[in-house]
């Protein structure tokens, strides 16, 4: 490969157009325009999720724990939410939240206490160790993901951000699914 040639300049390195052409050939009239968007999105989602898992493994934390700690950190001081609020924000079951909280509590990353007002309400709060872990881990994850996006100029990143927002909101509306979860989440 010549030094000025980009690795994706050969058709075999980017088979999306070939896939669409093959379906058009084999099933004339079948709409294939989505392939050029959905196939790369699926592939990118897998690549980003796999890379995030590697970064998190190196940091000693899993996706579910980072999701929990991040929700608490983003809530602002005192970095506490009820288990119901956590379940609503993560769109996982109450049982999954209970498991996440129990694991994080065993690791000294969060504490639990009874909530006020509601009989069975439980408040989960970041500990100092949990706060330190989420701060360092989020920096590692976001720095790595910013590095992975450097193939796009800043104005291209901004344009893609806007287009993905429009697409996501429209698809969520069409599917009546407004969950916000972590990419690569296994639960």
């Amino acid at each position: 490969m010549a030094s000025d040639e980009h690795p994706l300049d050969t058709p075999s390195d980017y088979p999306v157009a070939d896939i669409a052409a093959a379906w058009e050939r084999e099933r004339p009239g079948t709409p294939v325009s989505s392939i050029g968007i959905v196939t790369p999105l699926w592939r990118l989602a897998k690549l980003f999720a796999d890379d995030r898992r590697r970064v998190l493994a190196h940091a000693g934390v899993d996706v579910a724990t980072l999701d929990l700690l991040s929700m608490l950190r983003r809530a602002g001081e005192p970095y506490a939410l009820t288990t119901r609020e956590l379940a609503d924000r993560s769109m996982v079951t109450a049982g999954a939240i209970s498991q996440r909280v129990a694991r994080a509590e065993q690791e000294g990353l969060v504490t639990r206490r009874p909530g006020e007002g509601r009989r069975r309400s439980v408040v989960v709060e970041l500990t100092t160790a949990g706060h330190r872990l989420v701060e360092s881990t989020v920096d590692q994850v976001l720095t790595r993901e910013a590095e992975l996006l450097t193939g796009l100029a800043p104005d291209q990143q901004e344009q893609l951000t806007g287009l993905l927002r429009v697409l996501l909101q429209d698809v969520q509306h069409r599917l009546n699914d407004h969950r916000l979860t972590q990419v690569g989440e296994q639960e």
Side-chain angles (χ1 to χ4, degrees):
M1 179 182 309
S3 61
D4 62 338
E5 190 177 338
H6 192 277
L8 295 180
D9 287 342
T10 60
S12 62
D13 290 333
Y14 192 70
V16 175
D18 295 338
I19 293 167
W23 279 119
E24 277 184 327
R25 181 189 68 239
E26 296 299 317
R27 294 193 40 90
T30 297
V32 296
S33 61
S34 65
I35 292 172
I37 296 170
V38 176
T39 300
L41 286 175
W42 276 108
R43 184 65 181 137
L44 282 167
K46 176 157 180 25
L47 290 168
F48 279 113
D50 290 349
D51 192 72
R52 180 177 278 195
R53 276 192 286 280
R54 280 189 294 274
V55 170
L56 293 178
H58 184 263
V61 65
D62 60 82
V63 172
T65 301
L66 180 62
D67 188 35
L68 171 68
L69 300 179
S70 295
M71 284 186 287
L72 292 168
R73 176 61 179 90
R74 289 191 311 263
E77 289 192 52
Y79 312 118
L81 294 168
T82 66
T83 52
R84 172 171 277 209
E85 290 170 321
L86 288 167
D88 288 346
R89 292 178 187 200
S90 68
M91 297 304 293
V92 298
T93 65
I97 287 297
S98 292
Q99 289 176 354
R100 290 178 181 191
V101 170
R103 281 193 315 261
E105 188 176 41
Q106 284 179 333
E107 295 174 21
L109 303 174
V110 301
T111 59
R112 284 190 266 199
R113 62 177 158 70
E116 298 172 14
R118 296 184 71 145
R119 191 171 52 117
R120 292 172 31 183
S121 177
V122 175
V123 175
V124 180
E125 187 171 356
L126 272 179
T127 63
T128 301
H131 192 272
R132 274 195 309 267
L133 179 61
V134 74
E135 292 293 305
S136 67
T137 305
V138 165
D139 281 351
Q140 290 175 49
V141 168
L142 296 181
T143 297
R144 174 62 178 159
E145 290 174 356
E147 290 170 1
L148 294 175
L149 295 175
T150 59
L152 296 175
D155 62 321
Q156 291 174 313
Q157 290 182 32
E158 189 176 323
Q159 181 182 17
L160 183 58
T161 298
L163 291 171
L164 289 173
R165 179 181 181 175
V166 169
L167 180 61
L168 177 60
Q169 288 175 336
D170 183 63
V171 172
Q172 285 178 313
H173 175 75
R174 289 171 185 265
L175 299 177
N176 194 27
D177 185 343
H178 300 279
R179 294 177 289 174
L180 295 174
T181 58
Q182 292 285 14
V183 172
E185 195 162 333
Q186 300 289 318
E187 295 184 55

